[in-house]
Amino acid sequence: MKPIEVRNKIFLVGAVDWAIRDFHGYETPRGTSYNNYLIVDDEPTLVDTVKHDFAGVMLKNIRDVIDPAAIRHVIINHIENDHATSVDRVMDAAPAATLYMTERGKKGLARFFDLSGWRIKTVKTGDELKIGTKTILFIETPMLHWPDSMMSYAEEDKVLFSQDAFGQHIASSGRFDDEFIASASLAELDDAVIDYYANILMPFGSLIKAKIAEATKMGLELRVIAPDHGVIWRQGPGRIVQMYIDMAEGKAMQSVVVIYDTMWRSTEQMTQSVIRGVKDAGLDCRAIKLRATPMSVAVKEFWKARGALIGSPTLNNIPFPTICQFLTYLRGLRAKNRIVGAYGSFGWSGGAVREVYETVREIGLETFEPGVETTYRPAPEDEQRCYDFGAAFAEKVREYHAKF
Ligand code: FEO
């Protein structure tokens, strides 16, 4: 098969996973890819590996370019299973190779493999590897998004191998941003970027800003950003970096998302009135019923909007289980810069709305209080209260959004 050249003898040799829909519990409706890269020079160098199921595909792709036995260096930017669990297959095929990773990468990888038979060099920010005409610079990125994480940079070609950062869960035959935009759309690509950021990188906004500032200070020019998932940024590397800066700074749409669940449709009925209130107050509003929607999609929609209204019935004095699950996920993601209101129905004693607010305050998000509650079934006056609540929330979102 024809090798895919990223730039000047740098080849994409990874695999496309068209079938995956559950990525460690995260919904991936577009599939994904495990990208890794072969740099052909006097001392051929492999950057990252792939998920173990795809080791054979990767080795075949390498063979389409060179004999894997010729590989002299293998860089492990990140040890998570989807990138490093075929290191053993690579080392079998390339026995002369030396592995390069951070100190914490080595410590972590030792939990997956017996490292005693492999040559390993640990690296830190600023270290360089000369492989012939090309030079590889290492940049540690601890907690972006694991302690071991680093990036590497092909200096002469100005290609950044960014591991998970700037990635997207997309399976596509066109492996570059411009190809994907031509066959699908820029909006779909942006949606995949936001989905990935919201579900994986949301907790690390401050670190992301600091790392981008550090890279700018180092004077790294970026012609191509080559992540370990999804399309490669050869047309718009500057645009994706700016998107990351914006997201790290809390950029959102001046809109509202309503995230709810319902038992006997009372909270759903309240939801209809809340949505009309928001809409009539002039803001766009999207509703997500949690029981009908993957959690990762709900989090993406939460992240896109400046304001969220959470609707929950009371079950056994606490919020409905899907709402509890959503709030737990949000707590782990350390969501910021969003404002939240709550509403819901209950029978004989409430609890859901109070507990939603308690959790939202613990997470550190702004709240719009008090919420709205009804008993058993919303009466016309309850629907009016919900409508008014939605409209007042929209006004508050507008005011809060102006701070950003
Ligand atoms: Fe794509 Fe952190 O693994």
Side-chain angles (χ1 to χ4, degrees):
M1 277 188 294
K2 201 171 157 190
I4 300 172
E5 189 168 13
V6 174
R7 187 172 165 80
N8 303 337
K9 303 274 181 198
I10 298 173
F11 297 92
L12 173 63
V13 290
V16 177
D17 188 345
W18 294 93
I20 190 166
R21 292 294 178 270
D22 178 345
F23 188 93
H24 62 41
Y26 162 22
E27 186 92 0
T28 47
R30 302 179 178 98
T32 194
S33 68
Y34 313 105
N35 301 343
N36 70 328
Y37 303 91
L38 177 68
I39 308 174
V40 176
D41 206 332
D42 298 345
E43 298 172 10
T45 299
L46 189 69
V47 181
D48 291 321
T49 71
V50 294
K51 190 177 174 183
H52 58 88
D53 321 37
F54 294 87
V57 176
M58 169 191 63
L59 288 167
K60 186 186 176 313
N61 288 341
I62 293 171
R63 274 189 213 103
D64 285 341
V65 184
I66 59 166
D67 178 355
I71 294 172
R72 289 292 171 274
H73 312 287
V74 178
I75 295 167
I76 304 294
N77 280 327
H78 180 29
I79 63 161
E80 193 166 0
N81 307 44
D82 49 333
H83 307 297
T85 43
S86 54
V87 173
D88 53 345
R89 296 283 302 278
V90 167
M91 295 308 282
D92 286 347
T98 299
L99 287 158
Y100 297 80
M101 65 195 78
T102 62
E103 189 62 50
R104 285 199 272 190
K106 183 179 173 187
K107 214 169 169 182
L109 200 67
R111 304 295 298 172
F112 293 87
F113 298 106
D114 173 7
L115 308 184
S116 58
W118 297 340
R119 274 178 300 282
I120 296 178
K121 283 192 181 166
T122 56
V123 293
K124 50 190 182 341
T125 297
D127 289 351
E128 289 180 328
L129 174 66
K130 189 85 184 151
I131 61 170
T133 61
K134 299 178 192 289
T135 315
I136 310 299
L137 171 70
F138 299 105
I139 305 153
E140 291 168 281
T141 58
M143 292 321 298
L144 281 179
H145 68 124
W146 274 23
D148 58 279
S149 299
M150 70 170 182
M151 298 184 188
S152 34
Y153 176 70
E155 293 182 3
E156 292 77 9
D157 302 303
K158 307 188 189 321
V159 175
L160 180 70
F161 302 102
S162 61
Q163 45 100 7
D164 280 326
F166 309 116
Q168 340 85 46
H169 285 306
I170 286 178
S172 56
S173 58
R175 307 305 312 281
F176 296 92
D177 53 351
D178 52 300
E179 291 178 332
F180 184 81
I181 293 164
S183 65
S185 69
L186 178 60
E188 188 174 349
L189 182 53
D190 283 354
D191 186 76
V193 169
I194 295 167
D195 184 71
Y196 190 93
Y197 186 99
N199 282 281
I200 295 176
L201 297 170
M202 193 196 294
F204 309 117
S206 315
L207 281 172
I208 287 167
K209 276 199 292 181
K211 266 297 150 192
I212 291 175
E214 185 185 322
T216 308
K217 207 168 164 189
M218 288 169 83
L220 297 193
E221 192 186 330
L222 303 179
R223 292 263 175 83
V224 173
I225 296 178
D228 278 0
H229 296 289
V231 300
I232 296 162
W233 302 95
R234 71 177 175 191
Q235 178 178 268
R239 186 175 177 277
I240 183 66
V241 171
Q242 188 57 51
M243 247 181 116
Y244 263 54
I245 292 170
D246 289 345
M247 288 191 285
E249 287 178 347
K251 187 176 177 183
M253 291 191 297
Q254 186 177 265
S255 64
V256 173
V257 62
V258 180
I259 293 168
Y260 77 101
D261 220 320
T262 194
M263 290 172 67
W264 291 107
R265 299 221 163 139
S266 294
T267 302
E268 191 156 64
Q269 196 179 327
M270 295 173 79
T271 300
Q272 299 299 337
S273 304
V274 163
I275 292 168
R276 284 180 51 201
V278 173
K279 181 68 186 147
D280 287 356
L283 289 196
D284 184 55
C285 187
R286 179 171 295 198
I288 300 283
K289 181 179 176 180
L290 277 181
R291 215 147 82 245
T293 312
M295 201 55 65
S296 53
V297 174
V299 160
K300 175 187 70 178
E301 295 300 333
F302 173 88
W303 181 245
K304 281 160 74 174
R306 181 65 70 200
L309 287 170
I310 298 181
S312 177
T314 294
L315 178 64
N316 301 324
N317 302 111
I318 60 171
F320 200 70
T322 50
I323 299 290
C324 295
Q325 188 188 358
F326 176 74
L327 291 172
T328 300
Y329 192 25
L330 215 53
R331 185 204 298 274
L333 288 168
R334 304 201 291 274
K336 278 190 208 159
N337 304 318
R338 304 294 186 274
I339 184 164
V340 177
Y343 66 94
S345 74
F346 62 90
W348 50 98
S349 73
V353 167
R354 186 186 64 242
E355 192 159 320
V356 167
Y357 276 123
E358 280 171 10
T359 308
V360 166
R361 279 194 295 270
E362 279 167 27
I363 293 170
L365 293 162
E366 290 280 322
T367 58
F368 178 69
E369 300 184 55
V372 179
E373 292 177 279
T374 64
T375 51
Y376 293 111
R377 204 80 184 144
E381 59 270 24
D382 296 320
E383 292 187 311
Q384 183 64 46
R385 285 196 298 128
C386 290
Y387 177 89
D388 293 344
F389 179 64
F393 184 69
E395 286 308 321
K396 187 69 187 176
V397 168
R398 207 177 260 120
E399 186 187 305
Y400 181 63
H401 187 73
K403 295 180 182 173
F404 294 90

